[in-house]
Amino acid sequence: MQPTYPPEADEFRAKITTFLDENLPDGWSGIGALPEDERSTFQEGWRKTLRANNLLAPNWPAEYGGGGLTHIEQVILNEEFAKRGVPTAGANDGFSIGMVGNTILVWGTEEQKAHYIPRILDGDDVFCQGYSEPDAGSDLANVGCRAELDGDEWVINGQKIWTSQGHTANMIFTLARTAPENPKHAGISFLLVPMDQPGVEQRPITNMVGHDHFNEVFFSDARCPKENVLGEVNNGWAVGNTLLGFERGVAATITSLSFGAEFDQFVDLVRERGLADDPLVRQDVARFYTSVQIMKYRGMQALTRYLSGANPGPESSVGKLFWSEHHQQITEAAMNVLGADGMVGFGTETRSGLGAPAIGTENSPGNWMASFMIARPGTIYAGTSQVQRNIIGERVLGLPKEPRADAGPWKDVK
């Protein structure tokens, strides 16, 4: 692990700081400080500013419309944006750029890169994720959504669930079963499917506080061109795992900044409630401070790997497991500090509905309740904690794999 930056990093950091000073509104204190109904409008305009300055996908190759920055410059940009509470992209770009865009750059043909990368950057193609199904959540390789080749098109039938931001997307990257006669991991393909067609129906799933971040998607003879396979046919498991590495590892270098800001709010809350001398609360403070520092050094470790040119691998599960469980613990501790006040009202959700609150979010009982509720599914989405522990044990530590009873053909071969 290399915890220091090269000398030239300071010059680029100053450049990004100047960019933010010149383009952010006067009195900016983080997107969390904006009224909830103004955040989307700001982010839409901010995305256009980033695109105009080649900072929307800053480390993508310039030949495809990216910024052409080095890995270290990308990390510095992320850090400076995180410190100021500024989004690095648009609302759906975690899927469009961070996940499928990066995966296209790894697995795509030259034709796919030339077609999709500019369209993603321009906002013409807005993606959501078609992975989980009612019978394939933690056991993702059990996907039953089927795709059969009919001439020059794939015909898709099945269902996806927990599709975050599906109602704002016009494309969905989908794991579909293309060879049911193969073992389940070996019969899946990764498809890029248009959603604006009669065979695709999207239905919102409203959560307990009345929001619909996620949806369910139904395919009924939906179609996509046969060349819309990313990677090779029946190699979707490998492609999908590459994408999951980006999903779980992309924020490793800045996780400690957002959760550090939340920790500072927790300390302020403890002091406001007169509990700074309570020995049990002090234990919580020490534990959460330590967790944030671990995130910081895990980020440095990820940065060292990133600078070597390696794509995110199974080690990214360590970070996802750690921050999701930390978030549940600190928000539960905040509820204990608040006592009955924590039951009154419900504040604003984070900008994305996931992870730590956006910087600038008011330190109020209602907002802690919102964070507490948001933290609950954190150990489920993007792979449950149990799945992450299996990945870490088997693929990082090299421990013996769990016995499998599914090495033969997938269960439905009719």
Side-chain angles (χ1 to χ4, degrees):
M1 181 179 71
Q2 175 54 261
T4 60
Y5 292 98
E8 61 270 20
D10 290 339
E11 181 179 349
F12 184 75
R13 194 179 297 276
K15 179 179 178 181
I16 294 301
T17 299
T18 299
F19 168 80
L20 293 173
D21 290 341
E22 292 176 348
N23 288 277
L24 287 174
D26 292 338
W28 177 263
S29 57
I31 193 169
L34 295 178
E36 195 169 9
D37 59 354
E38 295 180 13
R39 296 181 190 179
S40 295
T41 301
F42 170 82
Q43 194 166 8
E44 290 175 7
W46 184 246
R47 189 189 195 278
K48 294 177 182 178
T49 299
L50 295 177
R51 179 70 176 114
N53 288 272
N54 293 325
L55 294 177
L56 186 58
N59 69 323
W60 282 8
E63 62 186 289
Y64 299 120
L69 301 184
T70 65
H71 289 322
I72 192 69
E73 290 171 336
Q74 161 85 78
V75 170
I76 290 170
L77 181 146
N78 286 347
E79 288 180 346
E80 294 305 311
F81 277 43
K83 291 175 186 176
R84 303 281 281 271
V86 188
T88 57
N92 264 69
D93 286 328
F95 299 105
S96 297
I97 294 177
M99 295 185 199
V100 74
N102 280 319
T103 306
I104 289 171
L105 289 175
V106 173
W107 286 95
T109 64
E110 286 305 313
E111 292 77 13
Q112 287 172 331
K113 294 175 186 177
H115 175 78
Y116 285 107
I117 296 301
R119 291 181 60 81
I120 288 172
L121 290 172
D122 290 338
D124 296 324
D125 285 344
V126 180
F127 278 88
C128 61
Q129 183 177 32
Y131 272 25
S132 295
E133 300 177 6
D135 294 322
S138 297
D139 184 13
L140 183 59
N142 196 44
V143 292
C145 180
R146 299 281 288 271
E148 298 179 345
L149 196 59
D150 179 21
D152 292 334
E153 292 183 313
W154 293 100
V155 180
I156 307 162
N157 286 280
Q159 177 186 359
K160 297 294 177 179
I161 200 165
W162 312 125
T163 310
S164 298
Q165 298 297 330
H167 57 297
T168 63
N170 61 5
M171 295 287 294
I172 181 170
F173 53 89
T174 302
L175 291 180
R177 188 158 301 281
T178 47
E181 69 278 6
N182 290 354
K184 63 182 186 180
H185 292 79
I188 298 169
S189 298
F190 190 109
L191 305 178
L192 306 175
V193 183
M195 296 186 73
D196 295 337
Q197 58 171 302
V200 179
E201 180 185 1
Q202 176 272 131
R203 300 177 189 171
I205 300 174
T206 304
N207 65 20
M208 66 177 67
V209 295
H211 296 163
D212 56 359
H213 294 299
F214 37 69
N215 309 261
E216 52 186 345
V217 177
F218 296 87
F219 299 105
S220 302
D221 290 334
R223 292 176 176 265
C224 73
K226 69 176 183 179
E227 59 268 21
N228 279 28
V229 172
L230 192 59
E232 299 176 355
V233 175
N234 297 328
N235 194 40
W237 187 247
V239 180
N241 274 285
T242 297
L243 184 140
L244 287 174
F246 284 115
E247 179 181 16
R248 295 166 184 161
V250 70
T253 59
I254 60 171
T255 298
S256 64
L257 296 174
S258 57
F259 283 102
E262 183 181 57
F263 168 76
D264 291 341
Q265 288 195 329
F266 178 75
V267 173
D268 290 342
L269 181 68
V270 166
R271 288 172 173 157
E272 290 170 5
R273 298 282 162 159
L275 297 173
D277 293 326
D278 184 295
L280 296 179
V281 175
R282 290 175 69 86
Q283 282 185 347
D284 282 339
V285 170
R287 177 161 56 109
F288 301 142
Y289 172 82
T290 303
S291 294
V292 172
Q293 296 307 303
I294 290 172
M295 291 182 205
K296 175 182 176 181
Y297 285 99
R298 279 273 309 129
M300 292 179 182
Q301 183 185 50
L303 173 59
T304 301
R305 177 180 173 84
Y306 191 47
L307 294 180
S308 72
N311 290 316
E315 75 288 337
S316 61
S317 289
V318 177
K320 196 277 175 178
L321 173 68
F322 192 84
W323 74 250
S324 61
E325 296 197 345
H326 161 84
H327 198 210
Q328 290 186 350
Q329 292 161 5
I330 192 171
T331 54
E332 184 173 340
M335 291 294 99
N336 291 335
V337 169
L338 286 167
D341 287 345
M343 298 186 292
V344 180
F346 187 89
T348 61
E349 293 198 60
T350 65
R351 175 173 51 85
S352 64
L354 308 173
I359 289 177
T361 301
E362 182 184 3
N363 192 3
S364 66
N367 284 342
W368 274 109
M369 171 55 78
S371 291
F372 173 81
M373 299 301 291
I374 289 164
R376 296 309 95 191
T379 53
I380 299 175
Y381 60 69
T384 67
S385 288
Q386 292 80 3
V387 167
Q388 306 302 339
R389 286 186 168 89
N390 280 348
I391 292 172
I392 294 166
E394 296 176 5
R395 300 177 60 194
V396 178
L397 300 178
L399 299 177
K401 293 185 177 182
E402 290 187 340
R404 290 189 180 275
D406 56 4
W410 183 64
K411 61 180 180 180
D412 181 4
V413 294
K414 296 179 181 181

